[in-house]
């Protein structure tokens, strides 16, 4: 059962900002509410909860304070990292109940009287016993539930997720309810790609990599939890229409002195049922990692390293028909297959010094590097011109990157509970170079009449700096004021040069620079912000949190390679209010209502007007006139826990103004005039399918989400989720002045079973129903994964066998029908894949670091 505590707890360290112009009104309002007549004489009940058998502290146990007359709930809390709890209560008599899944419920043997003479009662050490079940020598003890529901977020505990074993953070996200990752590495939340991804509370850009690369570089064994925040408070960055995904990595332990660590290694390969003759039969994947820390009473030193190669492959078929006046002027079929390899490695070192029990300073450095190789082979057949445009195409891209990241974090806690100051600064650099070749050989009598080679050389140097300071101050009864400031500075510099190699009239190969397509884009973006949130109890059952964040954003970009081209300049102030309400119906269920205003800013790649040529006669370019889009998001959710069930239901609505969307069209002299910022019409690319970004009017999104946790038996639990989602875009001239509507449905489930002799089996599946976006209909997709784990070496080690896409059903595809284009694309990945891994714990292994930061301080976020 998930219990929502009544005590105000606003210790999440997420970054948000505060408008100085309304600081005094907000503070006045908070003080007025805090010192209202609802305030009465208060005492507190405290203690610690331990496992009777192991003697270890029990975290997240539910503390319920009950009325002795009718056993109704008065207030409550949950235990912290060391098993401690402290609950404020008005003077009176109370019963104390402690419960935790998998343990026998504990009732304090006597009534607790909180009076003016005895305002504080410490019940001391409470020991609870696991409700173990013996079945053919199976002993099951308590485990944390897969999903924990809190006021403004859901916390998904993925450290026990076997199907992600041997994989990367991408595999972890694929098993998180409401989250999906497509085959291009794009992360979606509730069907929307407009989501902000954080790593340990920091924007992934500060890690010095693009998101797809970074997720592939993080081993799944390094991920502790994933926080899904669908309607964030003002403490968070407002970017991301559908919300925030915060991936929390395992770090050091603060509980066990001496040396601790975890070592893991795994390897695997696809064992496909179907494989094209031209593709390799063996595409290996392997990962290894080591995490160590050495802790004393005064300091902690930590070292982590990981590396390996991640390989994927796919094959498929496309059918493309281009039209003029409803008549086809070209009709091609393309057979293709691709191989993707990512070599990666990273080292992180650092230390934390404890000045005392209240203050500490952490310094760390991380070096991350990698090389991505992508090979695509295409065989094209022209169905209209008797082989005139038949060609074979090979696309090869190699990108190398090296990243440095420096972090400095300071935390100061005060004697007053929940009062603290944190300061965090991060500086990162990334240097990436890339080389690509796109070679086409057309069928014909002479190679010099039918040969095409396009080479690309890219260089990207990206610097980022992030500074944030956060101060939390509790006041009155269960109220807290939290303020903070943050600055994000980005300096990406992207250079891309294109070269063509052709035969001249003398049948001699010559190479020339394509000046029109080359670009050297220099870009600067700054965001400065301040925020304030205030929250607490309005009544014993009703809690509220209100916040306001104000940001100033500035960006400037220009193409150094084309001095006469238009530059990109945008500057604006924007407020982002938030409101969260929570009503505790009883000890089993609660209702939450929330609102937030959010933003999605254009990225450098969406603003940069340079041209990118893709396989299959496609090109894309950015739009320097693109503006941000703003969203009003509302959510109404209900959670209930009873017996072995937890059910979470959420209805949500989003209105997005100035909607940014990707739009495709056939490149010709008529359509190109609408995109004069790019370049004058070039007949060389006549008939190519072009895509760019546009601002539309408004988009409306309606959704319903259902998540069920079911402890079927003591040794078997199930988590299932369903998301239904509908979007409508208002008609514009671009859409023929007609509204566009789309419906999407998706579902996931995970079955986890503990068997005799330390065996564990996990089975999971996903389904995405067909859905329609602006111009394209996506096909349905579904697949199933299975994993088996066996503990060995007295549970210090474990062996993990994973089979991904076990029935080889994984695939994707779409079809597009416009006045200019009919296109069908179907792809499959090589599957199933088999991965075998081994993990060994040094001493007690690693536990999540129990120090506060600007996004998470170990609290649950409940009131």
């Amino acid at each position: 059962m998930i219990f929502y505590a009544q005590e105000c707890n606003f210790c999440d360290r997420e970054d948000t900002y505060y408008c100085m112009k309304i600081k005094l009104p907000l503070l006045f309002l908070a003080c007025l509410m805090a010192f209202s007549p609802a305030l009465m004489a208060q005492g507190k009940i405290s203690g610690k909860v331990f496992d009777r058998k192991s003697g270890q502290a029990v975290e997240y146990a539910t503390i319920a304070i009950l009325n002795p007359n009718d056993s109704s709930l008065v207030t409550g809390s949950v235990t912290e990292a060391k098993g401690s709890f402290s609950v404020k209560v008005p003077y009176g008599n109370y019963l104390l109940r402690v419960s935790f899944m998998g343990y026998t419920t504990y009732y304090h043997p006597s009534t607790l009287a909180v009076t003016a003479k005895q305002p504080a009662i410490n019940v001391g050490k409470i020991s609870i016993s696991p409700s173990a079940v013996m079945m053919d020598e199976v002993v099951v003890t308590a485990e944390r539930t897969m999903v924990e529901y809190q006021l403004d977020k859901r916390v998904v505990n993925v450290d026990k997720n076997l199907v992600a074993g041997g994989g990367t953070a991408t595999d972890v996200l694929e098993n998180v309810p409401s989250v999906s990752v497509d085959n291009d590495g794009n992360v979606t939340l509730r069907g929307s790609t407009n989501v902000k991804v954080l790593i340990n509370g920091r924007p992934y850009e500060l890690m010095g990599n693009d998101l797809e690369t970074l997720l592939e570089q993080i081993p799944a064994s390094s991920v502790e939890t994933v926080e899904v925040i669908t309607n964030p408070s003002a403490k968070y960055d407002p970017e991301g229409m559908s919300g925030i995904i915060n991936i929390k990595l395992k770090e050091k332990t603060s509980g066990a002195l001496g040396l601790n660590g975890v070592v893991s290694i795994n390897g695997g390969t696809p064992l496909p049922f179907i494989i094209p003759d031209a593709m390799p039969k063996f595409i290996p994947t392997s990962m290894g990692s080591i995490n160590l820390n050495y802790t004393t009473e005064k300091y902690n030193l930590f070292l982590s390293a990981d590396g390996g190669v991640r390989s994927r492959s796919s094959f498929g078929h496309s059918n493309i028909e281009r039209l003029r006046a409803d008549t086809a002027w070209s009709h091609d079929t393309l057979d293709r297959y691709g191989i993707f390899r990512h070599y990666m490695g990273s080292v992180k070192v650092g230390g934390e010094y404890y000045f005392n029990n209240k203050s500490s300073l952490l310094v760390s450095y991380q070096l991350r590097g990698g090389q991505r190789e992508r090979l695509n082979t295409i065989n094209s057949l022209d169905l209209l011109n008797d082989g005139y445009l038949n060609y074979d195409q090979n696309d090869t891209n190699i990108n190398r990157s090296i990243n440095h990241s420096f972090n400095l974090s300071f935390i100061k806690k005060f004697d007053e509970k929940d009062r603290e100051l944190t300061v965090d600064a991060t500086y990162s650099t990334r240097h990436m170079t890339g080389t690509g070749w796109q070679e086409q050989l057309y069928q014909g009598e002479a190679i010099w009449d039918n040969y095409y080679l396009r080479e690309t050389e890219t260089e990207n140097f990206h610097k980022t700096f992030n500074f944030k300071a956060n101060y939390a101050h509790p006041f009155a009864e269960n109220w807290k004021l939290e303020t903070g400031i943050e600055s994000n500075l980005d300096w990406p510099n992207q250079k891309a040069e294109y070269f063509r190699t052709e035969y001249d009239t003398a049948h001699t190969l010559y190479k020339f620079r394509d000046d029109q397509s080359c670009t050297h884009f220099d870009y600067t973006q700054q965001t400065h912000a301040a925020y304030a949130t205030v929250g607490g109890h309005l009544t014993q059952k009703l809690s509220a949190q209100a916040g306001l964040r104000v940001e100033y954003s500035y960006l400037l970009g220009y193409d150094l390679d084309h001095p006469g081209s238009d530059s990109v300049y945008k500057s604006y102030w924007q407020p982002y209010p938030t409101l969260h309400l929570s009503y505790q119906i009883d000890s089993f269920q609660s209702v939450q209502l929330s609102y937030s205003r959010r933003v999605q800013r254009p990225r450098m790649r969406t603003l940069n007007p340079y041209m990118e040529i893709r396989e299959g006669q496609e090109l894309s370019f950015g739009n320097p006139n693109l503006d941000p889009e703003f969203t009003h998001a509302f959510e109404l959710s209900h959670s209930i826990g009873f017996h072995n069930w937890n059910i979470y239901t959420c209805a949500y609505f989003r209105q997005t103004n100035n909607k940014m969307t990707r739009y495709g069209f056939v490149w010709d002299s008529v359509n190109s005039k609408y995109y004069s910022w790019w370049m004058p019409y070039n007949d060389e690319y006549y008939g190519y399918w072009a895509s760019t970004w546009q601002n539309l009017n408004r988009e409306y999104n309606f959704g319903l989400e259902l998540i069920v946790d079911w402890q079927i038996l003591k040794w078997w639990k199930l988590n299932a989720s369903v998301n239904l989602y509908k979007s409508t875009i208002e008609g514009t001239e671009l859409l023929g002045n007609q509204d566009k509507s789309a419906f999407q449905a998706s579902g996931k489930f995970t079955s986890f079973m503990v068997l005799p002799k330390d065996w564990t089996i996990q089975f999971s599946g996903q389904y995405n129903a067909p859905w329609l976006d602006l111009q394209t209909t996506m096909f349905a997709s579904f697949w199933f994964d299975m994993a088996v784990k066996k503990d060995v070496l007295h549970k210090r080690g474990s062996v993990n066998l994973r089979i991904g896409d076990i029935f080889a059903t994984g695939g994707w595809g779409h079809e597009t029908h416009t006045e200019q284009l009919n296109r069908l694309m179907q792809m499959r990945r090589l599957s199933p894949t088999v991965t075998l891994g081994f993990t060994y714990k040094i001493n007690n292994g690693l536990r999540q670091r129990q120090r506060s930061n600007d996004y998470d301080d170990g609290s649950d976020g409940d009131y």
Side-chain angles (χ1 to χ4, degrees):
M1 179 186 71
I2 302 301
F3 172 75
Y4 281 84
Q6 297 292 313
E7 181 181 1
C8 174
N9 197 345
F10 278 68
C11 295
D12 297 317
R13 302 275 38 124
E14 301 86 21
D15 296 310
T16 46
Y17 302 102
Y18 179 53
C19 177
M20 299 302 296
K21 292 183 179 180
I22 67 162
K23 180 178 180 180
L24 291 179
L26 269 180
L27 186 58
F28 175 77
L29 177 61
C31 293
L32 182 64
M33 298 169 67
F35 294 99
S36 66
L39 252 179
M40 59 184 70
Q42 291 282 304
K44 69 176 181 178
I45 299 173
S46 61
K48 294 186 176 181
V49 180
F50 293 86
D51 184 302
R52 182 183 300 276
K53 184 176 180 180
S54 66
Q56 294 183 349
V58 178
E59 185 181 3
Y60 299 109
T62 300
I63 307 299
I65 306 300
L66 309 176
N67 189 319
N69 297 324
D70 56 8
S71 296
S72 61
L73 178 70
V74 177
T75 185
S77 181
V78 294
T79 56
E80 298 178 352
K82 296 181 180 180
S84 61
F85 67 90
S86 179
V87 184
K88 293 181 179 180
V89 295
Y91 291 162
N93 298 325
Y94 302 101
L95 299 177
L96 171 64
R97 182 182 69 199
V98 180
S99 59
F100 190 63
M101 183 176 292
Y103 284 76
T104 302
T105 301
Y106 169 89
Y107 289 91
H108 195 273
S110 59
T111 301
L112 303 177
V114 181
T115 64
K117 293 183 178 181
Q118 190 181 19
I121 297 179
N122 190 328
V123 297
K125 180 178 179 180
I126 297 174
S127 297
I128 58 178
S129 302
S131 54
V133 177
M134 299 297 296
M135 296 180 57
D136 297 331
E137 300 182 1
V138 177
V139 179
V140 181
T141 56
E143 293 184 2
R144 294 169 64 179
T145 58
M146 178 179 176
V147 184
E148 299 172 17
Y149 305 96
Q150 301 172 8
L151 178 65
D152 58 354
K153 62 186 175 183
R154 300 196 303 272
V155 180
V156 182
N157 298 303
V158 298
D159 56 326
K160 300 291 185 180
N161 195 327
L162 302 184
V163 298
T168 64
T170 301
D171 301 292
V172 170
L173 291 182
E174 287 179 347
N175 288 277
V176 172
S178 310
V179 179
S180 297
V181 184
D182 67 18
N183 292 277
D184 294 323
N186 300 311
V187 177
T188 61
L189 176 60
R190 289 176 171 172
S192 173
T193 57
N194 291 334
V195 56
K196 185 70 172 179
V197 178
L198 308 175
I199 309 293
N200 275 348
R202 299 180 178 90
Y204 73 85
E205 295 91 344
L206 298 182
M207 304 291 285
N209 256 323
D210 61 272
L211 181 58
E212 179 187 4
T213 300
L214 181 60
L215 294 178
E216 290 291 336
Q217 288 184 342
I218 299 176
S221 58
S222 298
V223 180
E224 179 80 13
T225 61
V226 176
E227 296 177 342
V228 180
I229 311 167
T230 53
N231 213 9
S233 68
K235 295 182 294 183
Y236 293 84
D237 188 323
E239 190 167 25
M241 296 293 99
S242 58
I244 295 173
I245 298 173
N246 183 25
I247 302 173
K248 296 181 64 177
L249 306 181
K250 299 175 183 177
E251 296 190 40
K252 73 179 186 65
T253 175
S254 61
L257 301 181
L259 180 66
N260 295 269
V262 174
V263 179
S264 65
I265 186 170
N266 57 75
T269 185
L271 297 177
F273 298 145
I274 302 175
I275 182 170
D277 294 335
M279 295 191 70
K281 304 299 188 293
F282 181 66
I283 307 175
T285 291
S286 62
M287 295 286 294
S289 66
I290 180 171
N291 294 269
L292 300 171
N293 69 269
Y294 182 80
T295 303
T296 71
E297 295 290 346
K298 293 297 296 181
Y299 63 86
N300 177 79
L301 303 176
F302 52 89
L303 166 69
S304 63
D306 56 70
V309 56
R310 169 82 163 173
S311 301
R312 297 195 305 269
S313 54
S314 60
F315 62 96
H317 177 83
S318 297
N319 192 311
I320 303 174
E321 182 185 44
R322 294 179 174 87
L323 307 175
R324 286 290 184 275
D326 297 327
T327 301
W329 64 270
S330 74
H331 193 175
D332 306 314
T333 65
L334 287 76
D335 293 311
R336 68 180 70 191
Y337 73 84
I339 298 174
F340 170 81
R341 289 188 178 93
H342 189 179
Y343 303 90
M344 66 202 78
S346 72
V347 176
K348 183 177 182 180
V349 295
E352 184 172 16
Y353 182 77
Y354 310 108
F355 298 101
N356 49 50
N357 292 333
K358 302 292 185 180
S359 303
S360 66
L361 177 68
L362 182 145
V363 179
S364 67
Y365 163 74
Q366 184 174 42
L367 171 67
R368 185 184 298 275
Q371 176 173 301
R372 292 192 298 170
E373 300 177 357
R374 190 185 300 269
L375 170 66
N376 284 294
T377 299
I378 300 174
N379 304 116
S380 175
L381 176 64
D382 184 8
L383 302 180
L384 287 183
N385 297 292
D386 194 24
Y388 176 71
L389 292 178
N390 294 351
Y391 64 87
D392 296 326
Q393 177 173 316
N394 292 314
D395 294 333
T396 304
N397 290 278
I398 300 176
N399 294 288
R400 302 176 180 88
S401 63
I402 188 76
N403 315 290
H404 303 272
S405 181
F406 304 86
N407 176 245
L408 183 69
S409 297
F410 173 77
I411 181 171
K412 168 65 177 177
K413 294 185 177 182
F414 299 87
D415 293 335
E416 189 176 2
K417 184 178 182 293
D418 293 337
R419 182 187 173 199
E420 64 182 26
L421 170 69
T422 59
V423 180
D424 188 272
T426 301
Y427 176 73
S428 300
T429 66
R430 174 184 66 175
H431 185 213
M432 185 175 70
T433 58
T435 306
W437 300 269
Q438 184 182 88
E439 184 181 44
Q440 291 180 348
L441 178 61
Y442 290 82
Q443 296 181 8
E445 296 181 356
I447 188 173
W448 43 79
D449 293 327
N450 299 283
Y451 180 77
Y452 170 91
L453 174 63
R454 182 180 177 89
E455 298 179 58
T456 306
E457 296 180 2
T458 59
E459 184 175 18
N460 189 337
F461 189 73
H462 191 175
K463 297 182 294 182
T464 61
F465 177 74
N466 172 265
F467 174 83
K468 48 184 176 282
N470 187 86
Y471 175 69
H473 190 93
F475 59 94
E477 174 200 355
N478 292 331
W479 285 88
K480 179 188 287 186
L481 173 68
E482 192 164 1
T483 65
I485 59 173
E486 182 182 22
S487 291
N488 285 297
L489 295 88
D490 292 328
W491 300 280
N493 188 297
Q494 178 177 291
K495 184 178 181 180
E497 293 188 289
Y498 296 92
F499 301 90
R500 294 276 299 275
T501 300
E502 298 177 352
Y503 284 90
D504 59 16
T505 56
H507 302 165
T508 302
L509 279 175
Y510 71 101
K511 180 179 179 179
F512 62 93
R513 187 176 186 265
D514 187 351
D515 294 332
Q516 194 172 45
S517 300
C518 295
T519 181
H520 186 179
F521 201 63
D522 192 19
Y523 182 79
T524 298
Q525 178 170 322
Q526 300 181 20
T527 302
H528 306 279
Y531 80 89
T533 62
V534 61
H537 284 297
L538 297 177
T539 68
Q540 284 190 347
K541 292 189 174 184
L542 179 62
S543 301
Q545 179 197 79
L548 179 67
R549 174 190 184 99
V550 173
E551 288 191 352
Y552 170 72
S553 293
Y554 161 87
L555 62 89
L556 174 65
Y558 48 90
D559 191 346
L560 298 176
D561 214 45
H562 300 90
S565 62
D566 294 336
S567 61
V568 179
Y569 174 77
K570 298 183 185 299
S571 174
Y572 49 86
W573 287 87
Q574 287 291 331
Y576 301 98
T578 64
L579 177 65
H580 290 74
L581 299 174
S582 178
Y583 184 77
Q584 192 77 35
I585 300 174
D586 52 36
S587 60
F588 301 102
Q589 58 182 327
S590 63
V591 177
Q592 293 82 35
L593 177 65
S594 62
Y595 162 79
S596 68
R597 184 175 186 259
R598 306 196 56 73
V599 63
Q600 183 70 25
R601 308 181 188 94
R603 297 295 184 188
M604 182 178 70
R605 65 181 180 87
T606 64
L607 295 169
N608 190 355
Y610 88 94
M611 175 184 61
E612 179 183 358
I613 304 298
R614 299 178 177 178
E615 68 272 11
Q617 296 184 341
E618 296 185 3
L619 59 88
S620 64
F621 49 91
N623 180 354
N625 300 318
L626 199 63
D627 292 320
E629 62 182 24
F630 299 94
T631 292
H632 298 281
F634 300 85
E635 286 192 7
L636 176 62
S637 63
H638 174 262
S639 59
I640 182 170
F642 55 93
H643 301 294
N644 295 324
W645 291 80
N646 285 290
I647 301 176
Y648 173 84
T649 308
C650 180
Y652 55 92
F653 168 77
R654 296 193 297 262
Q655 176 184 315
T656 301
N657 300 324
N658 210 31
K659 170 71 177 177
M660 291 190 302
T661 188
R662 197 169 185 86
Y663 178 73
F665 58 95
V666 171
W667 182 254
D668 58 22
S669 58
V670 176
N671 290 320
S672 64
K673 66 181 181 182
Y674 297 106
Y675 310 100
S676 58
W677 70 78
W678 177 43
M679 67 176 187
Y681 173 65
N682 188 338
D683 187 66
E684 179 181 359
Y685 303 112
Y686 174 74
Y688 275 45
W689 180 252
S691 62
T692 188
W693 292 84
Q694 292 282 6
N695 286 118
L696 301 180
N697 286 347
R698 281 185 291 269
E699 180 183 37
Y700 303 95
N701 301 300
F702 306 85
L704 180 65
E705 186 175 35
L706 174 67
I707 303 177
V708 177
D709 288 299
W710 181 19
Q711 190 75 37
I712 304 174
L713 299 170
K714 293 292 185 179
W715 52 273
W716 184 13
K717 60 183 177 181
L718 179 71
N719 175 273
S721 63
V722 176
N723 182 53
L724 307 176
Y725 173 85
K726 182 180 181 180
S727 64
T728 299
I729 299 176
E730 285 187 350
T732 65
E733 183 180 355
L734 194 65
L735 302 177
N737 295 315
Q738 293 183 347
D739 293 349
K740 294 284 187 178
S741 295
F743 177 78
Q744 184 177 0
S746 61
K748 297 184 177 183
F749 79 91
T750 300
S751 173
F752 189 86
M753 293 175 284
V754 180
L755 302 179
K757 308 220 182 263
D758 297 325
W759 286 89
T760 306
I761 295 181
Q762 184 173 332
F763 189 72
S764 64
Q766 302 184 42
Y767 173 77
N768 296 303
W771 61 279
L772 173 69
D773 68 3
L774 186 64
Q775 294 177 297
T776 302
T777 300
M778 309 300 295
F779 297 148
S781 62
F782 63 96
W783 63 90
F784 302 91
D785 301 323
M786 187 181 74
V788 180
K789 187 184 78 168
K790 175 69 169 70
D791 291 332
V792 296
L793 303 176
H794 304 289
K795 294 190 177 182
R796 288 182 175 271
S798 62
V799 179
N800 186 310
L801 176 66
R802 177 199 174 197
I803 305 177
D805 193 10
I806 189 171
F807 300 119
T809 58
W812 66 98
H814 62 261
E815 58 181 345
T816 302
H817 298 287
T818 71
E819 295 179 354
Q820 299 174 320
L821 179 76
N822 291 317
R823 178 174 59 184
L824 170 69
M825 190 272 282
Q826 294 176 304
M827 297 292 293
R828 290 189 58 179
R829 56 188 176 190
L830 291 189
S831 57
T833 58
V834 178
T835 305
L836 181 64
F838 174 74
T839 300
Y840 181 77
K841 298 179 182 178
I842 302 173
N843 292 332
N844 293 322
L846 294 182
R847 292 185 292 245
Q848 187 178 5
R849 179 161 52 99
Q850 300 297 335
R851 79 183 293 276
S852 297
N853 59 54
D854 282 337
Y855 285 89
D856 184 24
D857 61 355
S859 66
D860 62 1
D862 294 339
Y863 289 108

